[in-house]
Amino acid sequence: MHLPTLNDEFYMRLALQLAAGTAGQTGLNPAVGCVVVKDGRIVGTGAHLKRGEAHAEVHALDMAGAEAEGATVYVTLEPCSHHGKTPPCADRLIREKVARVVVAAVDPNPQVAGRGIARLREAGITVEQGLLAEEARRLNEAFEKRITTGMPFVTLKAACTLDGKLATKTGDSKWISNEAARERVHAMRHRHQAVMVGIGTVLADDPQLTARLPVPALQPARVVVDAGLRTPTDARLLDDAGEVPVLIFASEEASPEKEAALAAKGARVIRAGTGGKVDLPLMMRKLAELEIGSVLLEGGGRLNGAMLEAGLVDKVVLFLAPLVVGSREATPVFDFPGVERIAEAYRLERVEAEVIGDNICITGYPVKRT
């Protein structure tokens, strides 16, 4: 086996791997990895494991012990410089007398960005920043969105045919994507704080919206956009509502009696919008108030289209299957009035494509050209 060259990038990639392994389990906090190297040996590693608990640097320095003095520390996100639920990591690095700190990404919080680095330099520690910064930022894109805008990061996931359909004209959609792609989706649920669908999906598919993996998985909150409170009280997503939050967003006019019936099953009904519709931006603000920072949107065509038009979709992950179903009545991935000119179309930027068996996974970030 060919072993890679030992250099700064090698150690930073190890730190990024540590961080990636915790994606989804740190809540509103970023996923961060740290590697401590002394005299050509790794003497400490760590990752941030849970919101409110020790940061990656603390775990790595605890492992390194006395060997931290004079060491180089590789960390995927700028060490914090403020007291939150835990003490500042910059102070701990200074106290341990490390010689050098290599930082991938600067803290995106505009109130603290750069302060941790400045504190380290003031203490005489050599600091280098920017190594694999883009990879580190993408790992924490949901954290960056929330910390800079206060809003959740929304990833729209869909599995469709070559002619852009989510289901046939009869509503049949099982299964468009292959088994490997479906397992990837369950991993995505594990890594998001909430999964969102519209009432149409609930009525048509009766989904569980759980993360089902070969190993134990974290379960996301379930969010249903249901203006008229048509969610059946025997819907499968309510089966474990006492253990995993189920949030149903309704209009102000929806039936109080139906709200009570759903509440009795463990769901929480949240009013957001009038006129028999759910106000989507208001809904997202309410999710932010509930400390939900990442949402996996698995909606039907209408909800997908409405969220895209409202500017609420940050990322698109599309699983394209080698199938053609035809029919104007078949459900499209995006069902909205549309644009008049190609120049006005929504376009994905930073596009990546991956072959998963006979499916192609296309990932990108939508922008609208005007």
Side-chain angles (χ1 to χ4, degrees):
M1 180 179 68
H2 174 70
L3 295 176
T5 301
L6 298 177
N7 54 20
D8 284 345
E9 182 175 329
F10 171 80
Y11 292 117
M12 185 61 79
R13 287 202 180 279
L14 288 180
L16 284 168
Q17 290 172 15
L18 289 167
T22 69
Q25 67 181 59
T26 58
L28 290 178
N29 281 12
V32 182
C34 181
V35 174
V36 182
V37 179
K38 177 74 171 291
D39 297 330
R41 295 172 49 247
I42 296 174
V43 296
T45 61
H48 181 41
L49 302 177
K50 186 178 181 181
R51 184 185 180 198
E53 297 185 358
H55 289 184
E57 299 94 320
V58 173
H59 287 302
L61 290 169
D62 285 347
M63 182 183 293
E67 292 192 271
E69 183 174 351
T72 294
V73 176
Y74 299 86
V75 62
T76 59
L77 186 68
E78 176 184 5
C80 59
S81 59
H82 61 287
H83 281 273
K85 294 181 180 292
T86 59
C89 290
D91 290 354
R92 175 69 186 273
L93 290 163
I94 294 169
R95 189 165 67 250
E96 297 291 348
K97 299 180 181 179
V98 305
R100 177 172 172 250
V101 177
V102 182
V103 176
V106 174
D107 191 328
N109 187 340
Q111 296 182 335
V112 299
R115 293 185 181 180
I117 290 173
R119 183 175 296 186
L120 293 173
R121 285 175 172 159
E122 289 168 2
I125 296 173
T126 299
V127 180
E128 298 174 23
Q129 66 185 75
L131 178 63
L132 303 180
E134 186 57 35
E135 293 182 37
R137 287 187 62 191
R138 176 174 277 195
L139 182 63
N140 284 307
E141 55 194 5
F143 169 72
E144 183 167 338
K145 167 85 181 289
R146 185 193 66 82
I147 205 69
T148 56
T149 70
M151 294 285 279
F153 185 94
V154 177
T155 300
L156 186 155
K157 164 265 162 186
C160 73
T161 62
L162 287 178
D163 48 345
K165 306 298 185 181
L166 295 175
T168 68
K169 61 184 178 182
T170 65
D172 181 42
S173 61
K174 290 184 172 56
W175 292 102
I176 289 177
S177 58
N178 63 30
E179 186 175 349
R182 295 197 296 274
E183 187 169 313
R184 177 77 61 89
V185 172
H186 285 290
M188 292 173 68
R189 290 178 180 177
H190 164 88
R191 294 186 175 111
H192 285 76
Q193 289 182 271
V195 57
M196 178 188 293
V197 296
I199 182 58
T201 298
V202 173
L203 295 176
D205 299 338
D206 193 18
Q208 293 176 279
L209 303 181
T210 54
R212 300 184 293 280
L213 293 168
V215 295
L218 297 175
Q219 297 302 329
R222 297 92 192 250
V223 178
V224 181
V225 183
D226 180 9
L229 287 182
R230 294 188 290 151
T231 300
T233 54
D234 62 352
R236 291 199 299 169
L237 61 85
L238 297 173
D239 287 347
D240 57 354
E243 303 171 15
V244 180
V246 175
L247 310 173
I248 302 178
F249 283 86
S251 71
E252 296 290 348
E253 298 83 2
S255 164
E257 291 77 19
K258 188 59 184 295
E259 177 179 350
L262 290 167
K265 295 288 291 185
R268 178 178 177 182
V269 174
I270 302 173
R271 308 282 176 158
T274 58
K277 295 182 179 180
V278 171
D279 183 323
L280 297 178
L282 176 59
M283 176 184 69
M284 299 308 296
R285 291 195 295 272
K286 288 181 177 290
L287 285 175
E289 292 170 3
L290 294 172
E291 296 195 331
I292 290 178
S294 60
V295 176
L296 182 63
L297 173 60
E298 297 190 48
R302 291 181 62 187
L303 181 57
N304 289 346
M307 289 285 287
L308 186 69
E309 279 195 304
L312 298 173
V313 175
D314 298 291
K315 185 177 183 178
V316 172
V317 179
L318 185 67
F319 295 92
L320 190 64
L323 305 171
V324 175
V325 298
S327 178
R328 294 179 180 178
E329 288 73 41
T331 307
V333 177
F334 297 98
D335 186 358
F336 67 106
V339 302
E340 295 183 358
R341 299 184 302 118
I342 290 295
E344 300 170 340
Y346 294 87
R347 181 183 299 272
L348 295 186
E349 295 187 339
R350 291 179 282 159
V351 174
E352 296 180 358
E354 178 186 0
V355 176
I356 304 176
D358 64 352
N359 286 192
I360 298 175
C361 179
I362 298 173
T363 302
Y365 298 80
V367 294
K368 187 173 186 290
R369 305 288 188 185
T370 56

